[in-house]
């Protein structure tokens, strides 16, 4: 089967690497004009001039990247099966739609308001109680358009800084940690859930994902599975979906979802029988899903900005190196390292050792390293 | 680093799949005119007209296939590092050189003689005692040129049937089973040994490889490691080497070696921390070797001649499917399935279940299934 992938970055690359052994072929369709890590055939078509050509070369379409015009996905869906369905894209591109959908399905979120003027932003901050997190409802590629208000009087400045006509204002959620759940849904509605991951960010970039998340209560995992099942069934979803959440004293609070394979699931390449990439391709191509259970405990360490010395990293017997063949640039995801261990105690030691060979890597702080 | 691979079949394909995550790029160079399972850039050049072009595109050269002109490898080695060294090719292309090298290094082999006439063949069969196995010293691509003599008087008929001017005559070795060892040697002489595999053939084709080989004595494994170490050091070998042996009452007897990744090591893709493919690429590109130990027990089941139904196979939670994207044809290797288990008892059951979905697959008979 010929799979067309919208986007040509590292996620598409890893989808292909896990899809070739299923005898699939891949064509990447890049609208950015700057494919970063494509493998094999990449069509660069920022103006959508060669859409027919692309569609004639593929049997199914999927994406590795959600910031693409919904209309393009909808056009494609008139000719070839596109999964996940374009509606999933539309929801993920708009924080208001996303939070509304969470609410409709009974998935807890932070309290939120919409602001269309600086005055409404001021009122929302007052009503919710500062600090509040302010974001544009829709987002460009650059991840800009966010602010934290510590006082309602900062509303005007934040409004000007973000420069967007419609903002979502969220109450700040005091959380113990960030968790994510990744699940796959097949064409026949079959579901498979990966163990949850604990995610550690630094400067807005994911740095570490530990899976299965340590010290996780059964109730929390069941809640997460219920939430993501509700979302996938509602969206008629086929493929892999990621749901990012905060763990709070009152239970899980949903933050956002990604309609694709996700950085917090990269551990599954070496830690689960079937990786998230293979399961996404299985789902999209109408095949049965594979086993998602974890063997041992794992931590994914992102390689950000600088490559480090591959020789040092490869000498560590418990690591798996995954490079994306991209040029180094500050803040850019260049690859990741999957670290495996038999116990969390051993994992902490191994992750610290691994990170010591990655220049600029932040200290490994997570629920395992906190004093109790 | 840009790696040039001589040959473009499934072994090259799997080398690339495990080499891309090290940020390597691959160019395949096919002299057969009929690349079967290439991935990415394949140069088809049966007449070696574009050798310079190929060499200008790569930093290192390796091969997935040993039946290629040694002179071509030697020419390449004058311009770019070629590993394993062309001498390894020369040895593996000639059963007489191979057996002589085994003998020089003290590696046990069956007794053997060279025959250059039907009369010499008759004499050799008498001297060694029938049955004897007769093979041409050099072999074409088709694997023809073998016979078994049950009586010296069959010499003339066998001579005519093989039609080769120089034959090697080997005494028949009564063996308990066939074993192989696979090892990797780095540029700096570092060595890494995979656990040995037990190999089950049917109609001259490998069908099953079980790793680690069950009921294997420590002595036998140590002997195997010693033999392959001697070979690699003697050949200044860099990359992965496979050595096939018979297990007899008197210990191991070497059969043949392959200067490349080997079908009996495919289990390592899912069963070892670092697969044979990754370790070959690491070695050839001057990187440190990875951990070769096995997690659990494994059986590689070859998919021969017919694909079977991928959906059935993918429903089994303990299997990993690896297809080569080749057209089905009787006797052709189309893919393999890695089956994993925690115990050999469970493995036998799982392999039988897996094989039941592969049309034409022979019954699973091995040391585990024999009555004691």
């Amino acid at each position: 089967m010929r799979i067309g992938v919208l986007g040509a970055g590292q996620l598409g690359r890893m989808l292909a690497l896990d899809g070739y052994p299923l005898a699939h072929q891949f064509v990447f369709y890049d609208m950015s004009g700057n494919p970063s890590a494509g493998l094999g055939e990449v069509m660069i078509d920022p103006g959508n001039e060669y859409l027919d050509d692309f569609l004639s070369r593929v049997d199914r379409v999927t994406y590795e990247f959600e910031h693409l015009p919904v209309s393009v996905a909808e056009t494609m869906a008139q000719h070839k099966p596109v999964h996940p369905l374009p509606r999933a894209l539309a929801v993920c591109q708009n924080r208001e739609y996303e939070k509304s959908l969470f609410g409709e399905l009974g998935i807890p979120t932070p309290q939120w308001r919409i602001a269309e003027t600086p005055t409404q932003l001021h009122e929302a901050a007052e009503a919710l109680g500062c600090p509040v997190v302010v974001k544009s409802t829709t987002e460009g590629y650059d991840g800009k358009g966010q602010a934290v208000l510590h006082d309602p009087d900062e509303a005007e400045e934040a409004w000007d800084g973000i420069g967007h006509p419609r903002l979502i204002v969220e109450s700040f959620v005091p959380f113990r940690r960030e968790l994510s759940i990744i699940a796959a849904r097949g064409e026949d509605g079959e579901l498979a859930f990966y163990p949850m991951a604990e995610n550690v960010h630094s400067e807005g970039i994911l740095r570490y994902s530990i899976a299965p998340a340590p010290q996780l209560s059964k109730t929390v995992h069941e809640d997460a599975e219920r939430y993501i099942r509700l979302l996938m069934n509602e969206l008629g979803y086929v493929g892999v979906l990621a749901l990012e959440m905060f763990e709070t004293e009152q239970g899980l609070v949903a933050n956002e979802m990604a309609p694709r394979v996700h950085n917090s699931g990269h551990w599954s390449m070496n830690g689960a029988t079937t990786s998230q990439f293979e399961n996404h391709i299985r789902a999209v191509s109408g095949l049965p899903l594979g086993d998602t259970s974890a063997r041992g405990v794992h931590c994914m360490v992102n390689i950000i900005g600088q490559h480090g010395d591959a020789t040092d990293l490869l000498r560590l017997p418990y690591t798996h190196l995954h490079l994306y063949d991209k040029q180094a640039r500050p803040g850019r995801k260049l690859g990741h390292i999957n670290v495996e261990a038999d116990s969390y105690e051993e994992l902490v030691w191994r992750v610290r050792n691994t990170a010591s060979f990655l220049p600029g890597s932040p200290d490994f702080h997570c629920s395992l390293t906190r004093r109790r």
Side-chain angles (χ1 to χ4, degrees), chain A residues 36 38 40 53 57 63 101 114 258 289 298 311 356:
Chain A
S36 64
D53 186 16
R57 292 170 188 230
Y63 27 88
L101 180 63
I114 292 295
L289 303 179
H298 303 270
T311 302
S356 74

Side-chain angles (χ1 to χ4, degrees), chain A residues 22 26 178 257 350:
Chain A
L22 300 173
F26 289 83
E178 293 179 62
M257 63 186 205
R350 290 180 169 183

